[in-house]
Structures are given as structure tokens and as C-alpha cells.
Amino acid sequence: MSQPHNNTLTNIASCDATTPIKDAALVVEGGGQRGIFTAGILDSWLANNFNPFSLLIGTSAGAQNLSSYMTKQSGHAKRSIMQLSKHPAFFDMKRPLSGRNTVDLDWYFDKVNDPEYQLNMNCAQAQLKNRQLLFSATTINGFCPVFLEPTTENWLTMLKASSALPYLYKKGVAIGDGHYVDGGVALPIPIQEAYHRGAKKIIVLRTVPAHQNTRTPWAHKLKSWVCSSQRCPKVLDIITGHENAYSDAVDFIHTPPTDTQIIEIAPPQPLASRILGSSDEALAADYKMGYEMGAKFLASHHAELFR
């Protein structure tokens, strides 16, 4: 697969990297098109040159949002969600009848090479000089969590691996000797990983309300799409593991270790957008909400912890 090229989109902010705080981390949940809410938060932060994080970890759509954040391309994630993820070529429930993938990630990531969707790798290199960026993924054999560290050469491949929903993208993504699928399968909110890597000040961006801790939209939508008499037991096992991990992460967020401060930014009620198949109106409303909540955070006293 070809990789992103350098480009000069007019909406790219200065690529000069700010100095991060050593023990500050940003953890970003996935959620398909619901990631438009996260895109709004991060765009508001880009507008204020706010990136104090030495460690950033994203899952699936969260990894895609962090890519735009790290390349400082305001509006990039929003455009990708509202245009690419809504294109008929990307998602079609009828394709499995002819042996093809329900979600065509090959088409999606090929489109990312078009000029209007390219990631700015010059900015990425500048940001990564004093930061670590990780994409979570899941092994297709055993469904174990792994953390991929992208470089300018393999960025899209690792991003694709973090985003490949099992069954909907059947083969997974090959990296080295392994095959990987969506990071949300094994670790939907990799908050504990940030802590284990030394983070003591952690912001976590979610795409579901803070009180929602087990019945995640991702898992039950997967069940409705792929569960059949042959597949159902395995799908249910995946969902059970996913929801246990989700519940553990939410417990960690709400009762962190005494030496750690976690700030959670989540929508106050379920978003109007869905994992896939959202209307333009729903996506625009959720982006606006995210942008406003991101700006509100910067205006609050909590942001001072990261300055």
C-alpha cells in the first residue's frame, strides 16, 4: 500500500512542535463516524496550539483523529469522516454476498493518498521528535492487544490495522508475520497502557457518555451485522472480552491510582451520529458539540494542569 506524501494544505497550522509535559498523555477512544465529536475537540485544540502530551494513544477512529492532530491538519479528520466514510464505496452490507468486505478499507486508504486527504508527514516528523504516538490493534489470532508505533513509512498500514473491524474486513491487516484487526476489540480505551508507560496526567476523549460502561455501540452493532448460526458463538466471545475490557477501563478512569489524575471529556448524552450511516446533519451537530467542549476545556482551570 502506498503511503502518505508531504503536502501543503492551506488549513495546516505551523508545524513547529511545542514542548510536551513528560508525564502527560492523551488517550482517544474509537467509535466509527462518532469520531466526528473527537475531531471537533482536537480541531479546537489545534486552533489554540494545545498539545502538551508526550504520549498519545488512539484506537481505530481515535487513531485516525490523532493522525490529523499530530500532522496539525485542522478539518482533516472531519472531512475524511463526512466524505470518505459516507461514500457508497466504503460501506455496503450487500458485498459479503459476493465474497467481498462489508467495509472496504482498501478503497478508503487508497483515497487517503489523494491530495485533499493526504497526511502531512513533515508535520508528523516534527511532532514526533519529542513525543510517542501509538495505535492500538488486536491480533487476529487470540484477539490480544498490541500497540503499533507508526513511522512516516508505515503510518497508513498501522492506521489501517487499528481500524479493521473483524468480519467486516475479513483478512485483517498484515504487518510482519502477524495479522491485525481493530484495536477496539481487545482494548477499546487503552487508558491503563498510558498509566503503565508512566503517564500521571491523562486526558481521555470518549465518544459515548461517561456513565456508559458496558453496552458499547461498537460491539452490539458488530453482532447485528455478522451474527449467524455459524459465527454467533465466536462473535459473542469477542463481544464479552471487549465489554469486560471496556468496563475495566471505565472503572480505571473513574477510580484512578492515587498518583494519577485523569480528565475525561465525553458527550453529555448519546451522540446523534452512528458508527456508520450517519446523516450529514448528525455529523455536523456532533462536530460542533466537540469543538465547543474542546474550547470549554481550554477555558477551564483543568487545562492549567497541562500548561
Side-chain angles (χ1 to χ4, degrees), residues 11 37 42 77 89 98 118 138 143 169 184 193 197 200 224 229 243 245 253 272 292 307:
N11 64 349
F37 171 77
L42 295 179
S98 59
Q118 286 175 357
T138 303
F143 294 105
Y169 187 76
E193 184 68 20
R197 289 175 180 261
K200 303 299 182 184
S224 70
S229 59
E243 294 194 332
I253 291 169
E292 291 173 348
R307 295 189 187 279

Side-chain angles (χ1 to χ4, degrees), residues 18-307:
T18 56
T19 301
I21 298 172
K22 183 179 180 181
D23 60 352
L26 177 63
V27 175
V28 185
E29 183 180 16
Q33 290 178 344
R34 298 174 197 268
I36 196 83
F37 171 77
T38 306
I41 294 172
L42 295 179
D43 278 354
S44 75
W45 291 359
L46 283 176
N48 289 275
N49 200 32
F50 179 76
N51 184 353
F53 309 105
S54 58
L55 172 65
L56 304 95
I57 309 177
T59 297
S60 193
Q64 295 186 41
N65 269 305
L66 282 184
S67 294
S68 302
Y69 185 53
M70 290 295 288
T71 59
K72 303 189 78 170
Q73 289 171 271
S74 180
H76 179 276
K78 177 186 179 183
R79 185 166 56 253
S80 297
I81 292 170
M82 296 194 73
Q83 297 177 10
L84 295 184
S85 77
K86 283 178 60 63
H87 196 283
F90 178 60
F91 174 70
D92 186 346
M93 287 297 296
K94 297 179 182 178
R95 279 201 291 258
L97 299 175
S98 59
R100 295 179 294 164
N101 291 307
T102 305
V103 174
D104 193 343
L105 282 182
D106 299 324
W107 173 86
Y108 183 97
F109 281 96
D110 283 344
K111 292 296 291 183
V112 173
N113 284 300
D114 288 353
E116 63 178 315
Y117 300 113
Q118 286 175 357
L119 292 169
N120 188 303
M121 289 293 102
N122 286 334
C123 264
Q125 287 177 316
Q127 299 301 311
L128 289 174
K129 285 180 180 178
N130 50 7
R131 293 179 172 85
Q132 184 177 32
L133 174 66
L134 301 174
F135 299 155
S136 73
T138 303
T139 61
I140 203 167
N141 293 320
F143 294 105
C144 299
V146 295
F147 292 91
L148 308 173
E149 188 165 4
T151 67
T152 56
E153 291 74 28
N154 63 19
W155 196 293
L156 288 188
T157 302
M158 292 191 171
L159 192 57
K160 186 177 182 182
S162 183
S163 307
L165 281 169
Y167 299 108
L168 303 188
Y169 187 76
K170 299 176 183 179
K171 61 186 179 181
V173 177
I175 299 176
D177 296 329
H179 283 74
Y180 302 91
V181 292
D182 194 297
V185 174
L187 278 183
I189 312 175
I191 185 79
Q192 297 99 319
E193 184 68 20
Y195 175 74
H196 293 324
R197 289 175 180 261
K200 303 299 182 184
K201 299 175 183 177
I202 307 172
I203 296 179
V204 57
L205 306 184
R206 298 186 61 190
T207 52
V208 298
H211 58 78
Q212 188 167 325
N213 66 349
T214 55
R215 291 187 61 83
T216 63
W218 175 94
H220 291 275
K221 182 57 70 175
L222 177 65
K223 177 182 176 182
S224 70
W225 281 333
V226 305
C227 198
S228 66
S229 59
Q230 293 80 22
R231 292 175 171 174
C232 213
K234 190 169 185 179
V235 172
L236 292 178
D237 286 344
I238 293 172
I239 291 173
T240 299
H242 163 87
E243 294 194 332
N244 288 339
Y246 203 100
S247 182
D248 289 345
V250 171
D251 288 344
F252 189 92
I253 291 169
H254 295 158
T255 56
T258 56
D259 62 346
T260 302
Q261 182 160 9
I262 297 176
I263 297 174
E264 180 182 33
I265 302 179
Q269 66 274 336
L271 294 172
S273 53
R274 301 183 291 177
I275 293 173
L276 288 168
S278 308
S279 68
D280 288 341
E281 293 77 14
L283 292 170
D286 288 344
Y287 176 84
K288 182 174 183 289
M289 182 195 301
Y291 198 100
E292 291 173 348
M293 290 189 70
K296 183 178 180 180
F297 169 79
L298 293 181
S300 72
H301 67 280
H302 297 293
E304 296 304 318
L305 295 170
F306 297 87
R307 295 189 187 279

